[in-house]
Amino acid sequence: GHSDTVSSCHFCFEDTKILSCSYDKTVKLWDVAKGFLIQVFEEEHKAPISECNVSADDKRVITSSYDNTVKAWDMETGKMLWTIEHEGIVTSCNISWDSKYVVSGSDRENAIHIIDAASATVMAHVQGHHKSTITRCCFDPDNRRVTTVSYDKAIKLWDMKTQSTSITIKEGHTNAISDCCFTSDGHYLCTASWDRTLKLWDVKTGEFRCRGPISLNQGHEGSVSSCLFSQDASLLVSGAYDKTVAIWD
């Protein structure tokens, strides 16, 4: 598949294809049923690709890289559409569910960038958003908020309308937070951490403010590295450094 570490992968085109990216500086599109390579997006990034994302309509691919850039690609042609330069390595990227905006996190000044996907202009550059490297950033399904998690153990929700941080959670985890994801209705946010736990936050009602999050503790003996909800939000899957995958009800 790739000649180096695969850093992220996503199903697309109604689960008939998989998009993957790698430290080998390429992004590849695969046919699921036949297992063969359809498209290669290459020769643009000059360093490992940290993350790739695909728009909901499967027309755009967004990539972030240690070469300090975020790039957008045309899925059909495999050609690069635009590049945004950052001051530091870009650790994560995400495209909003309506495909209008891109968020990225860079390790220089622990900043996030909000980018207009159509005009390729930076709408917001929030410096010092976290106190340490941002590990993951993602839009909620309403395209109203951006969630970021970091080595600083904090969770932040940044409001697109007010252009400010609406929620900061510092007490949730006792070690670095590696990943975050929303349920498809935006009701729950899940965070995965090196403290070997996952937490479920009811961000729709804000119930976590008085009752705290739902904690998933017994699944892993090692640092949790990733988490993802099923489409209907009945299941959560998590992966960890203990070489196991856990599936939660």
Side-chain angles (χ1 to χ4, degrees), residues 86-106:
H86 290 39
E87 288 182 359
I89 67 170
V90 190
T91 54
S92 179
C93 67
N94 191 236
I95 187 165
S96 61
W97 297 59
D98 60 6
S99 305
K100 290 181 181 177
Y101 307 105
V102 170
V103 60
S104 58
S106 65

Side-chain angles (χ1 to χ4, degrees), residues 10-177:
H10 301 276
F11 283 103
C12 50
F13 295 101
E14 296 179 343
D15 296 348
T16 61
K17 297 180 178 65
I18 293 174
L19 186 78
S20 64
C21 66
S22 167
Y23 286 3
D24 68 8
K25 309 172 196 171
T26 68
V27 179
K28 296 186 176 185
L29 186 68
W30 309 85
D31 183 286
V32 172
K34 296 172 183 163
F36 66 69
L37 185 63
I38 301 166
Q39 179 82 270
V40 182
F41 307 77
E42 61 183 344
E43 295 176 356
E44 295 291 352
H45 280 297
K46 305 290 187 280
I49 299 173
S50 55
E51 193 171 356
C52 62
N53 265 277
V54 59
S55 61
D57 60 7
D58 298 318
K59 290 182 179 176
R60 296 282 178 269
V61 174
I62 305 295
T63 55
S64 57
S65 170
Y66 295 165
D67 65 9
N68 301 10
T69 67
V70 171
K71 296 182 188 290
W73 312 71
D74 184 288
M75 178 72 90
E76 193 177 356
T77 64
K79 295 283 182 272
M80 195 187 76
L81 300 170
W82 52 256
T83 300
I84 299 284
E85 294 273 348
H86 290 39
E87 288 182 359
I89 67 170
V90 190
T91 54
S92 179
C93 67
N94 191 236
I95 187 165
S96 61
W97 297 59
D98 60 6
S99 305
K100 290 181 181 177
Y101 307 105
V102 170
V103 60
S104 58
S106 65
D107 78 333
R108 182 79 183 267
E109 299 163 330
N110 306 312
I112 58 167
H113 296 71
I114 309 292
I115 302 160
D116 184 305
S119 62
T121 53
V122 177
M123 299 167 50
H125 175 205
V126 188
Q127 298 176 331
H129 191 55
H130 281 274
K131 290 176 180 168
S132 188
T133 301
I134 295 166
T135 51
R136 184 74 76 233
C137 52
C138 66
F139 284 95
D140 71 358
D142 295 332
N143 311 300
R144 290 179 189 162
R145 294 192 286 201
V146 170
T147 295
T148 53
V149 293
S150 164
Y151 286 147
D152 68 7
K153 310 173 199 172
I155 304 159
K156 294 203 171 194
L157 276 76
W158 192 84
D159 193 285
M160 290 285 288
K161 195 172 184 180
T162 63
Q163 302 268 297
S164 63
T165 302
S166 55
I167 297 173
T168 301
I169 304 168
K170 293 179 179 174
E171 304 78 34
H173 290 284
T174 57
N175 206 332
I177 305 174

